[in-house]
Amino acid sequence: RLSHVVQQSRLQNNHMDAASTDVLLALTAPEPVVRYVEQRVRSAGLRVARVPATATVLRVSAPSATLEREAEHLELEKRLRPEARSCASERHWPMREFVLAQRADFAGAGEGGFFTPSERVFLVTALLEAVPVDNASFSAALAAGAVREVPPRHLSSLLRALASVGLLGEVSAAHCAGRLEGWRRSVGLLREWAWLRSSEPLALDAIRDYWGERTGFLFAWQAFYVQALAPPAALGLCIWWRRPKGTSVDDDSAVPVFSLFSVVWAIFFVQLWRRKQAALAFRWGIHDAHTAQAEVRRPEFVGREVVSEITGEVELVEGRGSRALRYAA
Protein backbone atom coordinates (compact mmCIF):
# COMPACT_ATOMS: atom_id res chain seq x y z
CA ARG A 1 0.00 0.00 0.00
CA LEU A 2 2.72 2.51 0.99
CA SER A 3 4.92 1.60 -1.99
CA HIS A 4 1.93 2.17 -4.30
CA VAL A 5 1.31 5.62 -2.76
CA VAL A 6 4.98 6.60 -3.12
CA GLN A 7 5.02 5.42 -6.75
CA GLN A 8 1.91 7.46 -7.53
CA SER A 9 3.53 10.46 -5.85
CA ARG A 10 6.58 10.11 -8.08
CA LEU A 11 4.37 9.99 -11.16
CA GLN A 12 2.54 13.11 -10.02
CA ASN A 13 5.86 14.80 -9.40
CA ASN A 14 6.79 14.30 -13.07
CA HIS A 15 4.27 17.00 -13.94
CA MET A 16 5.57 19.48 -11.33
CA ASP A 17 8.34 22.01 -11.49
CA ALA A 18 11.72 20.23 -11.41
CA ALA A 19 12.92 22.50 -8.60
CA SER A 20 9.83 21.97 -6.43
CA THR A 21 10.77 18.59 -4.97
CA ASP A 22 14.02 16.88 -4.13
CA VAL A 23 12.96 14.22 -1.62
CA LEU A 24 9.67 12.44 -0.90
CA LEU A 25 9.01 11.75 2.77
CA ALA A 26 6.34 9.07 3.25
CA LEU A 27 4.81 8.72 6.71
CA THR A 28 2.46 6.18 8.25
CA ALA A 29 1.30 8.64 10.86
CA PRO A 30 -1.97 10.29 11.92
CA GLU A 31 -2.74 13.89 11.06
CA PRO A 32 -1.39 15.50 14.29
CA VAL A 33 1.99 13.84 13.79
CA VAL A 34 2.11 14.85 10.11
CA ARG A 35 1.45 18.47 11.08
CA TYR A 36 4.20 18.27 13.70
CA VAL A 37 6.65 16.89 11.13
CA GLU A 38 5.78 19.69 8.71
CA GLN A 39 6.42 22.28 11.42
CA ARG A 40 9.79 20.79 12.41
CA VAL A 41 10.98 20.46 8.82
CA ARG A 42 10.04 24.07 8.04
CA SER A 43 11.84 25.27 11.17
CA ALA A 44 15.04 23.70 9.78
CA GLY A 45 14.91 25.96 6.71
CA LEU A 46 13.41 23.39 4.34
CA ARG A 47 10.36 23.74 2.12
CA VAL A 48 7.65 21.13 2.62
CA ALA A 49 4.27 20.52 1.01
CA ARG A 50 1.91 17.59 0.78
CA VAL A 51 1.58 15.66 -2.45
CA PRO A 52 -1.90 16.26 -3.90
CA ALA A 53 -4.45 13.53 -3.18
CA THR A 54 -2.30 12.14 -0.36
CA ALA A 55 -2.27 12.98 3.33
CA THR A 56 0.98 11.40 4.48
CA VAL A 57 3.48 11.93 1.61
CA LEU A 58 5.47 15.16 1.85
CA ARG A 59 7.47 16.91 -0.86
CA VAL A 60 10.67 18.33 0.62
CA SER A 61 13.11 20.74 -1.01
CA ALA A 62 15.52 23.46 0.08
CA PRO A 63 16.34 26.98 -1.14
CA SER A 64 19.74 27.60 -2.69
CA ALA A 65 21.08 29.42 0.37
CA THR A 66 20.29 26.45 2.63
CA LEU A 67 21.89 24.01 0.18
CA GLU A 68 25.04 26.12 -0.01
CA ARG A 69 25.38 26.24 3.80
CA GLU A 70 24.97 22.46 4.00
CA ALA A 71 27.45 21.93 1.16
CA GLU A 72 30.01 23.97 3.09
CA HIS A 73 29.28 22.00 6.26
CA LEU A 74 29.69 18.64 4.47
CA GLU A 75 32.78 19.86 2.57
CA LEU A 76 31.25 19.07 -0.82
CA GLU A 77 33.69 19.60 -3.68
CA LYS A 78 32.61 21.78 -6.58
CA ARG A 79 34.29 22.86 -9.80
CA LEU A 80 36.21 26.15 -9.84
CA ARG A 81 36.02 28.85 -12.46
CA PRO A 82 39.09 28.80 -14.76
CA GLU A 83 40.17 32.27 -13.61
CA ALA A 84 39.90 31.26 -9.93
CA ARG A 85 42.46 28.43 -10.15
CA SER A 86 45.31 30.22 -8.45
CA CYS A 87 47.79 27.38 -7.84
CA ALA A 88 49.26 24.58 -9.95
CA SER A 89 47.30 21.87 -8.14
CA GLU A 90 44.01 23.62 -8.88
CA ARG A 91 44.91 23.99 -12.56
CA HIS A 92 45.37 20.22 -12.73
CA TRP A 93 42.55 19.34 -10.30
CA PRO A 94 39.89 22.03 -10.80
CA MET A 95 37.85 21.08 -7.72
CA ARG A 96 37.76 22.56 -4.24
CA GLU A 97 35.65 22.15 -1.13
CA PHE A 98 32.81 24.63 -1.37
CA VAL A 99 33.20 27.70 0.84
CA LEU A 100 30.29 30.10 1.07
CA ALA A 101 32.52 33.14 1.53
CA GLN A 102 34.29 32.26 -1.75
CA ARG A 103 31.22 31.27 -3.75
CA ALA A 104 32.20 33.61 -6.60
CA ASP A 105 35.20 31.35 -7.31
CA PHE A 106 32.97 28.37 -8.19
CA ALA A 107 31.55 27.75 -11.63
CA GLY A 108 27.79 28.25 -11.74
CA ALA A 109 27.45 29.56 -8.18
CA GLY A 110 24.22 31.44 -7.69
CA GLU A 111 22.60 29.81 -10.72
CA GLY A 112 19.73 27.36 -10.68
CA GLY A 113 21.78 24.35 -11.78
CA PHE A 114 24.76 24.84 -9.46
CA PHE A 115 23.98 21.60 -7.62
CA THR A 116 23.24 18.50 -9.68
CA PRO A 117 20.04 16.56 -8.93
CA SER A 118 22.00 13.84 -7.11
CA GLU A 119 23.80 16.47 -5.01
CA ARG A 120 20.50 18.16 -4.15
CA VAL A 121 19.05 14.84 -2.97
CA PHE A 122 22.19 14.15 -0.91
CA LEU A 123 22.12 17.59 0.74
CA VAL A 124 18.37 17.63 1.43
CA THR A 125 18.54 14.11 2.88
CA ALA A 126 21.40 15.19 5.15
CA LEU A 127 19.36 18.21 6.27
CA LEU A 128 16.35 15.99 6.98
CA GLU A 129 18.44 13.60 9.05
CA ALA A 130 19.72 16.54 11.11
CA VAL A 131 16.25 17.96 11.91
CA PRO A 132 16.00 17.84 15.72
CA VAL A 133 12.99 16.53 17.59
CA ASP A 134 11.31 18.27 20.54
CA ASN A 135 10.45 15.36 22.81
CA ALA A 136 7.67 17.18 24.63
CA SER A 137 5.91 18.41 21.48
CA PHE A 138 6.47 15.08 19.74
CA SER A 139 4.93 13.16 22.64
CA ALA A 140 1.95 15.54 22.58
CA ALA A 141 1.49 14.94 18.83
CA LEU A 142 1.66 11.18 19.37
CA ALA A 143 -0.93 11.40 22.12
CA ALA A 144 -3.21 13.54 19.94
CA GLY A 145 -2.93 10.94 17.19
CA ALA A 146 -3.70 8.07 19.57
CA VAL A 147 -0.25 6.52 19.09
CA ARG A 148 0.70 4.45 22.11
CA GLU A 149 4.36 3.85 21.27
CA VAL A 150 6.84 6.09 23.09
CA PRO A 151 10.14 7.02 21.39
CA PRO A 152 13.41 6.64 23.33
CA ARG A 153 14.36 9.85 25.10
CA HIS A 154 17.97 9.79 23.87
CA LEU A 155 17.02 10.22 20.20
CA SER A 156 17.47 13.79 18.95
CA SER A 157 16.80 13.20 15.23
CA LEU A 158 13.24 13.58 13.97
CA LEU A 159 13.56 10.80 11.39
CA ARG A 160 15.02 8.37 13.91
CA ALA A 161 12.30 9.23 16.40
CA LEU A 162 9.64 8.55 13.76
CA ALA A 163 11.30 5.27 12.82
CA SER A 164 11.49 4.16 16.46
CA VAL A 165 7.68 4.29 16.76
CA GLY A 166 7.04 2.83 13.30
CA LEU A 167 5.72 6.03 11.69
CA LEU A 168 8.45 6.54 9.07
CA GLY A 169 7.56 4.83 5.82
CA GLU A 170 10.18 5.84 3.25
CA VAL A 171 12.60 8.61 2.34
CA SER A 172 13.30 8.53 -1.39
CA ALA A 173 14.51 10.76 -4.19
CA ALA A 174 11.87 12.46 -6.30
CA HIS A 175 11.95 12.06 -10.07
CA CYS A 176 10.94 15.25 -11.88
CA ALA A 177 10.28 16.04 -15.52
CA GLY A 178 13.22 17.55 -17.37
CA ARG A 179 15.92 15.82 -15.33
CA LEU A 180 16.04 12.60 -17.35
CA GLU A 181 16.72 14.02 -20.81
CA GLY A 182 20.22 12.52 -20.89
CA TRP A 183 18.82 9.10 -20.01
CA ARG A 184 16.22 9.34 -22.77
CA ARG A 185 18.91 10.32 -25.28
CA SER A 186 20.96 7.31 -24.22
CA VAL A 187 18.00 4.95 -24.68
CA GLY A 188 17.44 6.40 -28.16
CA LEU A 189 21.07 5.75 -29.10
CA LEU A 190 20.81 2.17 -27.91
CA ARG A 191 17.71 1.58 -30.00
CA GLU A 192 19.41 3.00 -33.08
CA TRP A 193 22.56 0.89 -32.54
CA ALA A 194 24.58 4.12 -32.54
CA TRP A 195 26.55 2.91 -29.54
CA LEU A 196 28.65 0.71 -31.85
CA ARG A 197 30.00 3.80 -33.64
CA SER A 198 30.46 6.13 -30.66
CA SER A 199 33.40 6.31 -28.26
CA GLU A 200 30.95 7.23 -25.48
CA PRO A 201 27.58 5.71 -26.38
CA LEU A 202 25.70 6.91 -23.29
CA ALA A 203 25.18 10.44 -21.99
CA LEU A 204 27.32 9.61 -18.96
CA ASP A 205 27.48 13.17 -17.63
CA ALA A 206 23.69 13.44 -17.58
CA ILE A 207 23.34 10.01 -15.95
CA ARG A 208 25.94 10.94 -13.33
CA ASP A 209 24.29 14.30 -12.60
CA TYR A 210 20.90 12.68 -12.09
CA TRP A 211 21.70 9.33 -10.48
CA GLY A 212 25.12 9.98 -8.91
CA GLU A 213 28.68 8.81 -9.54
CA ARG A 214 28.14 5.15 -8.61
CA THR A 215 25.40 4.70 -11.18
CA GLY A 216 27.38 6.70 -13.72
CA PHE A 217 30.34 4.35 -13.35
CA LEU A 218 28.03 1.34 -13.59
CA PHE A 219 26.64 2.44 -16.95
CA ALA A 220 30.10 3.49 -18.15
CA TRP A 221 31.50 0.04 -17.41
CA GLN A 222 28.58 -1.76 -19.04
CA ALA A 223 28.84 0.33 -22.22
CA PHE A 224 32.63 -0.09 -22.33
CA TYR A 225 32.35 -3.86 -21.80
CA VAL A 226 29.73 -4.34 -24.52
CA GLN A 227 31.82 -2.37 -27.01
CA ALA A 228 34.97 -4.29 -26.06
CA LEU A 229 33.23 -7.60 -26.75
CA ALA A 230 32.96 -6.78 -30.46
CA PRO A 231 36.49 -8.01 -31.49
CA PRO A 232 36.32 -11.44 -29.78
CA ALA A 233 32.75 -11.89 -30.94
CA ALA A 234 33.73 -11.16 -34.56
CA LEU A 235 36.72 -13.53 -34.38
CA GLY A 236 34.63 -16.27 -32.79
CA LEU A 237 31.99 -15.90 -35.50
CA CYS A 238 34.64 -16.20 -38.23
CA ILE A 239 36.10 -19.34 -36.64
CA TRP A 240 32.67 -20.88 -36.33
CA TRP A 241 31.79 -19.96 -39.93
CA ARG A 242 34.95 -21.49 -41.47
CA ARG A 243 34.80 -24.71 -39.44
CA PRO A 244 34.45 -27.72 -41.77
CA LYS A 245 31.39 -29.89 -41.42
CA GLY A 246 31.85 -32.79 -39.08
CA THR A 247 34.59 -31.01 -37.10
CA SER A 248 33.93 -30.51 -33.40
CA VAL A 249 35.28 -27.80 -31.16
CA ASP A 250 37.85 -30.21 -29.73
CA ASP A 251 39.25 -30.93 -33.20
CA ASP A 252 39.26 -27.36 -34.55
CA SER A 253 42.83 -26.10 -34.99
CA ALA A 254 41.70 -22.47 -34.73
CA VAL A 255 40.46 -22.81 -31.15
CA PRO A 256 43.95 -22.37 -29.59
CA VAL A 257 44.36 -19.19 -31.63
CA PHE A 258 41.08 -17.88 -30.24
CA SER A 259 42.15 -18.82 -26.71
CA LEU A 260 45.43 -16.92 -27.09
CA PHE A 261 43.55 -13.93 -28.51
CA SER A 262 41.16 -13.98 -25.53
CA VAL A 263 44.08 -13.79 -23.08
CA VAL A 264 45.61 -10.82 -24.89
CA TRP A 265 42.16 -9.19 -25.21
CA ALA A 266 41.52 -9.54 -21.45
CA ILE A 267 44.82 -7.81 -20.62
CA PHE A 268 44.12 -4.90 -22.95
CA PHE A 269 40.52 -4.67 -21.72
CA VAL A 270 41.54 -4.25 -18.08
CA GLN A 271 44.19 -1.64 -18.86
CA LEU A 272 41.95 0.35 -21.20
CA TRP A 273 39.12 0.34 -18.65
CA ARG A 274 41.49 1.69 -16.01
CA ARG A 275 42.33 4.56 -18.33
CA LYS A 276 38.64 5.20 -19.01
CA GLN A 277 37.83 5.05 -15.29
CA ALA A 278 40.61 7.51 -14.45
CA ALA A 279 39.44 9.90 -17.17
CA LEU A 280 35.86 9.83 -15.86
CA ALA A 281 37.05 10.25 -12.26
CA PHE A 282 39.03 13.35 -13.23
CA ARG A 283 36.15 14.75 -15.27
CA TRP A 284 33.69 14.23 -12.45
CA GLY A 285 36.07 15.40 -9.73
CA ILE A 286 36.36 12.14 -7.80
CA HIS A 287 39.48 11.26 -5.84
CA ASP A 288 40.90 7.85 -6.81
CA ALA A 289 37.64 6.93 -8.56
CA HIS A 290 35.91 6.61 -5.18
CA THR A 291 32.35 7.92 -5.01
CA ALA A 292 31.77 8.09 -1.27
CA GLN A 293 30.34 11.40 -0.15
CA ALA A 294 31.42 13.24 2.99
CA GLU A 295 30.41 11.59 6.20
CA VAL A 296 27.24 12.98 7.73
CA ARG A 297 27.53 13.92 11.38
CA ARG A 298 25.11 12.05 13.62
CA PRO A 299 22.50 14.33 15.25
CA GLU A 300 23.05 12.50 18.56
CA PHE A 301 26.76 13.38 18.65
CA VAL A 302 27.65 15.83 21.42
CA GLY A 303 31.11 17.40 21.51
CA ARG A 304 33.06 20.61 21.77
CA GLU A 305 34.39 22.86 19.03
CA VAL A 306 38.18 23.06 18.68
CA VAL A 307 40.53 24.37 16.02
CA SER A 308 42.29 21.53 14.22
CA GLU A 309 46.08 21.63 14.42
CA ILE A 310 46.28 20.06 10.95
CA THR A 311 43.71 21.96 8.85
CA GLY A 312 43.19 25.06 11.00
CA GLU A 313 39.42 24.62 10.70
CA VAL A 314 36.88 24.39 13.51
CA GLU A 315 35.90 20.77 14.23
CA LEU A 316 33.49 19.16 16.66
CA VAL A 317 35.35 16.55 18.74
CA GLU A 318 34.49 14.34 21.67
CA GLY A 319 35.83 15.35 25.07
CA ARG A 320 38.59 13.25 26.62
CA GLY A 321 36.56 12.57 29.75
CA SER A 322 33.51 11.23 27.91
CA ARG A 323 35.74 9.19 25.62
CA ALA A 324 37.53 7.62 28.58
CA LEU A 325 34.20 6.75 30.21
CA ARG A 326 32.94 5.21 26.95
CA TYR A 327 36.10 3.11 26.61
CA ALA A 328 35.85 2.01 30.24
CA ALA A 329 32.23 0.94 29.76
Side-chain angles (χ1 to χ4, degrees):
R1 169 66 178 171
L2 180 60
S3 301
H4 175 73
V5 172
V6 173
Q7 181 64 25
Q8 291 298 319
S9 302
R10 289 173 175 170
L11 293 176
Q12 292 180 24
N13 201 58
N14 285 334
H15 303 285
M16 301 173 188
D17 180 15
S20 63
T21 309
D22 295 306
V23 171
L24 291 175
L25 177 60
L27 305 174
T28 56
E31 179 63 23
V33 178
V34 176
R35 289 199 301 267
Y36 171 78
V37 172
E38 289 178 316
Q39 183 268 325
R40 296 303 299 174
V41 172
R42 287 195 182 96
S43 66
L46 297 171
R47 294 191 290 251
V48 59
R50 301 194 189 191
V51 174
T54 66
T56 60
V57 179
L58 306 179
R59 297 160 42 199
V60 184
S61 62
S64 299
T66 303
L67 292 176
E68 290 179 353
R69 288 194 299 269
E70 186 66 11
E72 181 180 30
H73 170 69
L74 297 179
E75 300 178 350
L76 184 69
E77 286 196 346
K78 296 296 293 180
R79 187 171 297 274
L80 291 166
R81 297 180 187 273
E83 59 273 14
R85 301 169 192 173
S86 56
C87 59
S89 61
E90 289 179 345
R91 285 192 290 270
H92 291 84
W93 182 260
M95 307 287 290
R96 190 198 299 167
E97 295 174 356
F98 180 76
V99 179
L100 192 57
Q102 303 171 2
R103 65 195 302 267
D105 293 343
F106 294 88
E111 301 176 4
F114 180 54
F115 294 107
T116 65
S118 61
E119 289 173 342
R120 292 183 64 92
V121 171
F122 169 70
L123 294 173
V124 172
T125 303
L127 287 165
L128 272 177
E129 292 175 348
V131 173
V133 62
D134 182 3
N135 289 318
S137 301
F138 186 49
S139 299
L142 292 176
V147 178
R148 296 183 179 181
E149 289 81 359
V150 179
R153 304 292 295 181
H154 68 277
L155 294 179
S156 59
S157 169
L158 176 62
L159 293 186
R160 297 192 181 190
L162 289 169
S164 67
V165 294
L167 300 181
L168 179 61
E170 183 180 348
V171 180
S172 61
H175 300 287
C176 297
R179 291 181 176 178
L180 280 173
E181 293 304 322
W183 170 258
R184 295 191 180 98
R185 291 197 304 271
S186 299
V187 173
L189 289 175
L190 291 177
R191 290 176 177 173
E192 297 171 3
W193 293 85
W195 54 275
L196 288 174
R197 307 186 302 269
S198 174
S199 60
E200 190 166 293
L202 300 178
L204 296 178
D205 290 335
I207 295 175
R208 172 255 181 181
D209 289 344
Y210 188 82
W211 299 100
E213 285 82 5
R214 294 183 185 274
T215 306
F217 273 112
L218 172 63
F219 279 94
W221 184 87
Q222 289 179 336
F224 186 84
Y225 179 62
V226 170
Q227 284 185 311
L229 285 176
L235 180 60
L237 181 62
C238 292
I239 292 176
W240 173 81
W241 186 265
R242 58 155 293 280
R243 181 183 302 165
K245 293 183 178 180
T247 303
S248 65
V249 176
D250 298 332
D251 300 330
D252 194 343
S253 60
V255 171
V257 177
F258 181 78
S259 300
L260 180 61
F261 175 83
S262 299
V263 173
V264 177
W265 172 86
I267 296 173
F268 275 91
F269 170 77
V270 172
Q271 297 303 321
L272 290 175
W273 167 245
R274 287 177 177 175
R275 291 182 58 184
K276 178 70 173 180
Q277 185 183 35
L280 289 175
F282 180 82
R283 193 166 85 194
W284 293 343
I286 305 170
H287 294 285
D288 300 326
H290 293 310
T291 58
Q293 297 276 17
E295 182 179 357
V296 179
R297 184 182 302 158
R298 292 185 299 107
E300 292 84 4
F301 181 76
V302 178
R304 58 189 181 89
E305 292 185 347
V306 298
V307 178
S308 173
E309 298 178 357
I310 300 175
T311 64
E313 299 178 355
V314 178
E315 297 179 349
L316 194 63
V317 300
E318 185 179 14
R320 294 182 178 178
S322 59
R323 183 186 303 175
L325 290 175
R326 182 163 55 84
Y327 287 164

